Amino acid sequence: MKLASLKDGSRDGRLVVVSTDLTRCVPATGIAPTLQAALDRWDQTEPALRALAQRLDAGGCGDEAEVFHPIACHSPLPRAYQWADGSAYVNHVELVRRARGAELPDSFWTDPLIYQGGSDSFLDPMGPIEAASEDWGIDLEAEIAVITGDVPMGVTPEAARNCIRLVMLVNDVSLRNLIPAELAKGFGFFQSKPSSAFSPVAVTPDELGAAWDGGRVHLPLRSSINGHVLGVPNAGVDMTFDFPTLIAHAAKTRKLAAGSIIGSGTVSNRDAGGGPGRPVADGGVGYSCLAEVRMIETLLHGKPRTPFLRFGDQVRIEMLDAQGRSIFGAIEQVVARHRP
Amino acid sequence: MKLASLKDGSRDGRLVVVSTDLTRCVPATGIAPTLQAALDRWDQTEPALRALAQRLDAGGCGDEAEVFHPIACHSPLPRAYQWADGSAYVNHVELVRRARGAELPDSFWTDPLIYQGGSDSFLDPMGPIEAASEDWGIDLEAEIAVITGDVPMGVTPEAARNCIRLVMLVNDVSLRNLIPAELAKGFGFFQSKPSSAFSPVAVTPDELGAAWDGGRVHLPLRSSINGHVLGVPNAGVDMTFDFPTLIAHAAKTRKLAAGSIIGSGTVSNRDAGGGPGRPVADGGVGYSCLAEVRMIETLLHGKPRTPFLRFGDQVRIEMLDAQGRSIFGAIEQVVARHRP
C-alpha cells in the first residue's frame, strides 16, 4: 500500500491511496482525513486503506480515481510530532571525523548516534530548498526513514520491528558551514538542520518485497545533482544499526507516539576493498551528500574541490525496485534564495 | 484568556476556556476541537475564544460551565509539532560549566543556546514522571515557555514579539547521569531529555498584566520538592535572551509553524552580590533544578550532597501573581518506576 498527502490548502493535506505504479490515486479521506489521523487509529484504518489500495490496483475506483501528480504532494506527513534522525551508516560518521582528524570512538559501533530533528514544517518533495545565503554550505543528505505506530518506553529491538508502519525517503537538508560552531556549543544541531523533505509517497514495508528484511531496505538509493548521478549506495549495506535498533534507542527513556519518523542517516557504503567509497565516475557507488565527496577530496588532495549546493541547483533522490520502477516517487528540489 | 486541554480519551484532548481564577471552565470545542486547531486558525478562533472567556469570567455560560480540575488536564498541547528549549539564563549555564571546570565562551552571552526537544508525547501536568532507574539521575527543570503562531524564516526579534500567542510553565525533565555521555557524542540531547510536562493552563500574555514586558515574565517561579521550597527565582531577572530573541534564533534558517513551543531554559538568578544564588534556607532565591543545587555544593564542599529525585518524590512548579493567585495552575508530578 502506498499513501500520499495532496495539497489542498490545509496544513496536513488530504490523504490519498496511490497505485503501486504511482500513476493513479484515490481519496482516502472517507477513512481518515489525514495521514496522521490514519496513523492515530491504524488498527482501524489500515484494513480499509488496504482494501481501497487493492481496488485501485485492480483498476477499480472508477471516477473516484485521479491521475497522481507528485508535484501536488506534501511530504507524507507535512508536519509531524517526532523526527529523530539516526546516523546508522557508521562509515559516513568515520569519514566525517577522519577528514577533520578526529578519532571515531569504539562505542560508535555499538551505541547508535541519533539527533532530535525539528518537525513542524517539512518541505514539499518537489518544493524549493530555501536559504538566505549560499555561504551556509547547503547540502543534501539522502536517507531512508520509517514512520512508527505507538512505541512503548523501553521497547526491545525485536518488538520495535512490529512498530514500523511506513517507509519513505528523506532529503535531510544540512547547512554544513553552520555545523561546526553549532556543535561546538554542545547542544547539537538546530539552525544547521533546517526543514527536511520526504518522498511523495510513503509505503508499507510489504511493498518492498524481498528488499525489506524487517530492519533494512536492500536497494540502491539514487541521488543526483543537476542530472549527474552523485551516488547509488545500497541502503541495506553498511547500515550498522537497523531501524528496530534505532527505534529502541530512541524509546529508551520515553514512549514515541504514532506518526514518529525515524531516519537512517546518510546512506553510505564502503568501497569493496574496505576503504572509503569511490565516485560513480571511478566505478564506485558514490555518495549521498556533498560533505562526503568533499571529505574524500580532502583525504586525497588536502582540500575539497566540489562546492556545496548553489542557488538554482537541482537535487533528485529516488529508489528503484529490482525492475527499475520508482517505489516512492522522487524527491526533486531546487535550491532557491529565501526572500523575506 | 486561559486555555486548557481536558482528557477525553483522544490524543489531543478537548479544548476548554478556563476562568481567570482557575475555578471553572467551559467547552470551546464549538470554536476549535483542540488547542492545536485553535492555533492553526488563530485569527478566526481568538476573538470567539476571548468572547467566551469574557462570558465565563462575568459569571455567564450557565449550565455549560464545569468545575475546573487540573488533574483532568493534559499539557495544553498534549503533543506538539515543535518544542525548542533555550538556555536563556546564562547564569545557569555558567554554573554548570564551572562545576566541571569548563570555561564559558564569551559568545554564550550574545549567541543563544537552544536545543531541539522531542514533542510527540508530553507528560500530563499532574501525571507521573516515569523512569526505569533512579540511576539515570532524574531532575526537574522549572522553566517558562511560549507558544507561537506562524513564524516566518528570518524573523527579526521585533517582529517575533507579535508571534507569541500563549505562555505556560514547563518541567523539562532531565536525566542528568545520561547527559555527559550523550553530549560527548556531539549530537545533543536525546535519551537524557525525555518527555516534558507543561502547566495545566496556557494563558495569553495580557493575563500577565504588568508582569509581561513583551519578552519576559517578571514574576518568581516557585519550585518545590516534597513540600520544601527549592527556589523562587524571578523569571524576569538574568534572562539574557528574551523570548523574541529565542524565537528569532530558532527561525533563522527555517519557518516555525503555529503551535511551536519555545522554552526559556532553567530559570536561574545570581545572588545580589553577583555570585551564584544562595539556597532559600540561607535567604537566597534558591534554584529551579537539583543540578544547580549540586553544582553549588560542589563549588562549596568539593562534591554534591543533595541526591537527584527518587521514586515517590513529588515535584511542584507554580507561578503566583502579585496578589498570590496561581496563574497557570501547578505542575505537580510524582516520580514513578516505569514498569514495561
Side-chain angles (χ1 to χ4, degrees), chain A residues 111 153 249-254, chain B residues 130-139 173-186 188-194 308:
Chain A
D111 179 31
M153 187 196 299
H249 182 87
K252 183 185 169 185
T253 62
R254 62 184 302 153
Chain B
E130 293 194 2
S133 169
E134 291 178 342
D135 295 341
W136 287 351
I138 308 154
D139 199 359
V173 178
S174 299
L175 302 174
R176 300 290 178 195
N177 295 340
L178 303 187
I179 289 179
E182 195 155 59
L183 292 196
K185 290 160 73 177
F189 305 105
F190 199 97
Q191 294 177 338
S192 52
K193 290 280 188 181
F308 287 120

Side-chain angles (χ1 to χ4, degrees), chain B residues 92-262:
Chain B
H92 166 79
V93 183
E94 193 172 28
L95 266 179
V96 183
R97 298 222 160 198
R98 202 193 302 175
R100 56 176 155 99
E103 286 277 308
L104 186 81
D106 277 347
S107 63
F108 276 41
W109 294 99
T110 52
D111 180 32
L113 198 58
I114 204 164
Y115 81 88
Q116 179 62 63
S119 53
D120 59 272
S121 47
F122 291 130
L123 304 179
D124 295 334
M126 299 187 74
I129 298 167
E130 293 194 2
S133 169
E134 291 178 342
D135 295 341
W136 287 351
I138 308 154
D139 199 359
L140 71 154
E141 284 197 351
E143 311 185 3
I144 316 287
V146 298
I147 303 178
T148 74
D150 286 301
V151 180
M153 188 197 298
V155 72
T156 62
E158 293 67 39
R161 291 170 92 90
N162 297 323
C163 298
I164 297 172
R165 299 281 174 267
L166 296 164
V167 184
M168 55 188 177
L169 307 182
V170 196
N171 180 12
D172 184 41
V173 178
S174 299
L175 302 174
R176 300 290 178 195
N177 295 340
L178 303 187
I179 289 179
E182 195 155 59
L183 292 196
K185 290 160 73 177
F187 273 22
F189 305 105
F190 199 97
Q191 294 177 338
S192 52
K193 290 280 188 181
S195 299
S196 299
F198 295 83
S199 49
V201 164
V203 313
T204 47
D206 56 279
E207 287 280 346
L208 297 165
W212 176 250
D213 68 4
R216 296 176 179 83
V217 181
H218 294 269
L219 284 170
L221 181 61
R222 172 179 298 265
S223 304
S224 48
I225 296 176
N226 300 328
H228 301 285
V229 179
L230 176 69
V232 286
N234 192 304
V237 173
D238 292 332
M239 188 185 188
T240 309
F241 306 106
D242 66 7
F243 282 110
T245 303
L246 294 174
I247 293 168
H249 182 87
K252 183 185 171 186
T253 62
R254 61 187 299 155
K255 62 182 176 179
L256 299 173
S260 290
I261 305 173
I262 308 289

Side-chain angles (χ1 to χ4, degrees), chain A residues 11-12 36 39-41 79-82 84-87 97 108 111-121 130-132 136 150 153-154 175 178 182-195 248-258 260 338 340, chain B residues 11-12 36 39-41 79-82 84-87 97 108 111-121 130-132 136 150 153-154 175 178 182-195 248-258 260 338 340:
Chain A
R11 291 176 184 266
D12 298 299
Q36 182 63 53
L39 290 158
D40 283 347
R41 307 186 303 116
R79 52 180 180 173
Y81 296 106
Q82 172 62 270
D85 196 12
S87 199
R97 298 223 160 199
F108 276 41
D111 179 31
L113 199 56
I114 204 164
Y115 82 88
Q116 178 63 64
S119 52
D120 58 272
S121 46
E130 293 194 4
W136 286 350
D150 287 301
M153 187 196 299
L175 302 174
L178 303 187
E182 195 155 59
L183 292 196
K185 289 160 73 178
F187 273 22
F189 305 104
F190 199 98
Q191 293 176 339
S192 53
K193 290 280 188 182
S195 299
H249 182 87
K252 183 185 169 185
T253 62
R254 62 184 302 153
K255 63 181 176 181
L256 299 173
S260 290
H338 174 70
Chain B
R11 291 178 185 265
D12 298 300
Q36 182 64 52
L39 290 158
D40 283 347
R41 306 186 303 115
R79 52 181 180 172
Y81 296 106
Q82 172 61 272
D85 197 11
S87 199
R97 298 222 160 198
F108 276 41
D111 180 32
L113 198 58
I114 204 164
Y115 81 88
Q116 179 62 63
S119 53
D120 59 272
S121 47
E130 293 194 2
W136 287 351
D150 286 301
M153 188 197 298
L175 302 174
L178 303 187
E182 195 155 59
L183 292 196
K185 290 160 73 177
F187 273 22
F189 305 105
F190 199 97
Q191 294 177 338
S192 52
K193 290 280 188 181
S195 299
H249 182 87
K252 183 185 171 186
T253 62
R254 61 187 299 155
K255 62 182 176 179
L256 299 173
S260 290
H338 174 69

Side-chain angles (χ1 to χ4, degrees), chain A residues 22-319:
Chain A
L22 304 180
T23 60
R24 297 186 312 140
C25 63
V26 60
T29 41
I31 299 165
T34 66
L35 180 54
Q36 182 63 53
L39 290 158
D40 283 347
R41 307 186 303 116
W42 191 249
D43 287 349
Q44 290 88 60
T45 58
E46 188 200 8
L49 291 168
R50 283 195 183 272
L52 186 58
Q54 276 171 7
R55 246 177 51 222
L56 181 66
D57 279 327
C61 297
D63 286 353
E64 267 192 288
E66 312 163 20
V67 175
F68 177 67
H69 295 295
I71 197 154
C73 290
H74 286 295
S75 286
L77 289 171
R79 52 180 180 173
Y81 296 106
Q82 172 62 270
W83 159 230
D85 196 12
S87 199
Y89 299 83
V90 179
N91 177 50
H92 166 79
V93 182
E94 194 172 28
L95 265 180
V96 184
R97 298 223 160 199
R98 201 192 303 175
R100 57 176 154 100
E103 286 278 307
L104 185 82
D106 278 348
S107 63
F108 276 41
W109 294 101
T110 51
D111 179 31
L113 199 56
I114 204 164
Y115 82 88
Q116 178 63 64
S119 52
D120 58 272
S121 46
F122 292 130
L123 304 180
D124 294 335
M126 298 187 74
I129 299 169
E130 293 194 4
S133 170
E134 291 179 342
D135 295 340
W136 286 350
I138 307 157
D139 199 0
L140 70 154
E141 285 196 350
E143 311 186 1
I144 316 288
V146 299
I147 303 178
T148 74
D150 287 301
V151 179
M153 187 196 299
V155 72
T156 62
E158 294 67 40
R161 291 171 91 89
N162 298 322
C163 298
I164 296 172
R165 299 280 173 268
L166 296 164
V167 184
M168 56 188 175
L169 307 182
V170 195
N171 180 12
D172 183 40
V173 179
S174 299
L175 302 174
R176 298 291 176 193
N177 295 341
L178 303 187
I179 289 179
E182 195 155 59
L183 292 196
K185 289 160 73 178
F187 273 22
F189 305 104
F190 199 98
Q191 293 176 339
S192 53
K193 290 280 188 182
S195 299
S196 299
F198 296 84
S199 49
V201 164
V203 313
T204 48
D206 56 279
E207 287 281 347
L208 298 165
W212 176 250
D213 68 5
R216 295 176 180 84
V217 180
H218 294 268
L219 283 170
L221 181 61
R222 173 179 298 264
S223 304
S224 48
I225 296 177
N226 300 329
H228 300 286
V229 178
L230 176 69
V232 285
N234 192 305
V237 173
D238 291 331
M239 189 186 188
T240 309
F241 306 106
D242 65 7
F243 281 110
T245 303
L246 294 175
I247 294 168
H249 182 87
K252 183 185 169 185
T253 62
R254 62 184 302 153
K255 63 181 176 181
L256 299 173
S260 290
I261 305 173
I262 309 290
S264 67
T266 309
V267 175
S268 176
N269 290 170
R270 287 165 182 277
D271 195 46
R278 278 173 299 149
V280 172
D282 297 347
V285 296
Y287 315 100
S288 301
C289 65
L290 290 171
E292 215 167 294
V293 175
R294 289 164 55 94
M295 285 179 251
I296 303 281
E297 290 170 346
T298 301
L299 292 173
L300 292 180
H301 313 295
K303 64 176 185 179
R305 294 174 173 186
T306 304
F308 288 121
L309 295 171
R310 290 178 171 154
F311 297 136
D313 281 349
Q314 191 222 48
V315 170
R316 189 181 161 94
I317 300 171
E318 194 168 22
M319 182 172 264

